[in-house]
Amino acid sequence: MEVINKILDDYTDYCHQKLTEEFGTYSLGTYDPIYLYQRYKCRIIDKRPRIALEASGLSVPQIYQSAYQEIISDIENGSDLKKYQSRNLKKLDYDDDMLSHWGIQHFHLGQIIEDDGYVKRSGDLLFIHFAETNAHILGFFNHGAWVDLEIIEILHENWPQELAVFRSESNTTHLTESDYKALRKKNANANVTVQDGTEYLNPGMGVTANGAPFCAVLNSDKMIFMFNRAFELIRENIVLILESDHEQRTSETITIGMEIVDSTRSVAYHIKETGFKFTLPS
């Protein structure tokens, strides 16, 4: 019995479909849909309820009180937060440097939702670090604060556990904000050192030579490895899988495909010749 692997082909088609839904007709350039979709996903905040935690001493300007409360409510309710983000999200090749290097999202503070679904732009921005279950509210900054070292200082002082995995002891030269700005223009990565001498690798994991977030490459490789490993597991257990089909459908050729159920974020595999669907243990 020949077992054919079409899992990655199906996942590529899924990524293409998601990109088309978001951007319409797009150009692959030198990349594939898996990489482009993961690059896009690096900028998107998953819709899930989170606890909003404020940095010590956070002061909310009176002019932004209402907008701030709306943002906090949307975070805690697990609402779609895209409307607060940069309109540049509409560009497939957009990369958010502060997010890529330091892992910090910036939200606009307008309360009027404009025709394209984004809130009206504001002079100041709210900087937030998102984790799986929490949103760490760092403070209000202006549009030129992309390399303001106070951002990392606040995260370090309030939630050092979020940065622990990035700790480094390379004793690298302390860099200024001008240094970071110049390095980012060259798509170069650099450690960051806070006032007490603690040194961190890029909390956002940094960028590759083309300026894209490193997490795009990492997540693409992760998905490819996961699906290739899944096929090996399926092939090793194909007899048992076929026996699980209550209709006992058979075929000389077994082609394995997959589909993603967006509502549950789960993966289902299927035999294309018979339509039999099954899942693998996590």
Side-chain angles (χ1 to χ4, degrees):
M1 180 187 302
E2 183 181 10
V3 184
I4 300 171
N5 185 2
K6 290 294 182 179
I7 295 174
L8 278 180
D9 288 350
D10 286 353
Y11 183 62
T12 298
D13 290 343
Y14 169 83
C15 293
H16 171 69
Q17 176 189 339
K18 301 300 285 187
L19 289 169
T20 301
E21 290 173 0
E22 187 66 30
F23 300 102
T25 302
Y26 67 94
S27 173
L28 279 173
T30 58
Y31 306 112
D32 62 85
I34 294 177
Y35 169 79
L36 290 177
Y37 181 56
Q38 293 301 326
R39 183 174 177 178
Y40 166 67
K41 282 186 67 179
C42 287
R43 312 191 299 258
I44 301 302
I45 304 162
D46 287 343
K47 288 189 286 186
R48 65 178 68 181
R50 290 178 172 87
I51 300 171
L53 303 173
E54 296 180 345
S56 176
L58 177 74
S59 177
V60 182
Q62 185 63 39
I63 190 175
Y64 297 129
Q65 285 284 348
S66 295
Y68 178 73
Q69 291 305 320
E70 287 184 16
I71 290 173
I72 296 302
S73 177
D74 282 343
I75 289 173
E76 294 180 337
N77 290 328
S79 302
D80 190 346
L81 302 172
K82 186 178 176 182
K83 62 185 177 183
Y84 300 112
Q85 294 181 269
S86 171
R87 275 193 171 87
N88 284 324
L89 282 180
K90 295 187 288 185
K91 303 175 184 177
L92 178 56
D93 61 352
Y94 166 65
D95 297 308
D96 183 333
D97 280 348
M98 185 171 68
L99 180 62
S100 298
H101 285 273
W102 288 357
I104 308 299
Q105 292 275 4
H106 66 277
F107 278 14
H108 287 268
L109 295 153
Q111 289 187 273
I112 298 174
I113 298 179
E114 299 186 314
D115 291 343
D116 60 358
Y118 289 83
V119 299
K120 188 175 181 178
R121 308 293 86 176
S122 56
D124 294 314
L125 302 166
L126 181 64
F127 285 4
I128 307 174
H129 172 268
F130 283 90
E132 288 294 310
T133 58
N134 297 328
H136 306 108
I137 314 300
L138 303 176
F140 295 82
F141 294 81
N142 62 47
H143 270 83
W146 312 122
V147 293
D148 190 335
L149 291 170
E150 184 184 358
I151 300 166
I152 301 299
E153 194 74 45
I154 293 171
L155 189 58
H156 168 75
E157 290 179 354
N158 288 270
W159 303 284
Q161 72 278 5
E162 298 296 332
L163 294 171
V165 70
F166 299 104
R167 287 197 64 163
S168 173
E169 296 182 0
S170 70
N171 296 316
T172 186
T173 302
H174 290 209
L175 302 177
T176 65
E177 293 177 9
S178 296
D179 293 330
Y180 286 111
K181 185 178 293 186
L183 288 168
R184 285 190 188 178
K185 287 182 179 179
K186 297 179 181 295
N187 298 329
N189 300 308
N191 291 4
V192 57
T193 303
V194 293
Q195 290 182 8
D196 66 7
T198 304
E199 181 185 348
Y200 295 109
L201 302 172
N202 288 307
M205 299 185 69
V207 299
T208 53
N210 66 346
F214 178 72
C215 72
V217 176
L218 183 66
N219 291 341
S220 297
D221 290 347
K222 178 181 176 182
M223 297 302 293
I224 292 170
F225 175 83
M226 181 187 77
F227 284 130
N228 283 336
R229 180 68 188 93
F231 176 72
E232 292 302 320
L233 187 62
I234 291 168
R235 184 165 58 181
E236 292 168 5
N237 294 275
I238 191 63
V239 174
L240 182 61
I241 291 170
L242 293 175
E243 290 175 352
S244 300
D245 184 358
H246 297 300
E247 297 183 25
Q248 296 297 302
R249 291 165 288 191
T250 60
S251 173
E252 291 298 320
T253 302
I254 302 296
T255 305
I256 307 299
M258 59 78 67
E259 59 189 68
I260 292 180
V261 182
D262 285 330
S263 59
T264 59
R265 299 179 184 176
S266 59
V267 177
Y269 298 93
H270 59 265
I271 297 173
K272 291 181 178 286
E273 289 81 1
T274 67
F276 177 57
K277 295 182 180 181
F278 59 95
T279 59
L280 297 177
S282 57

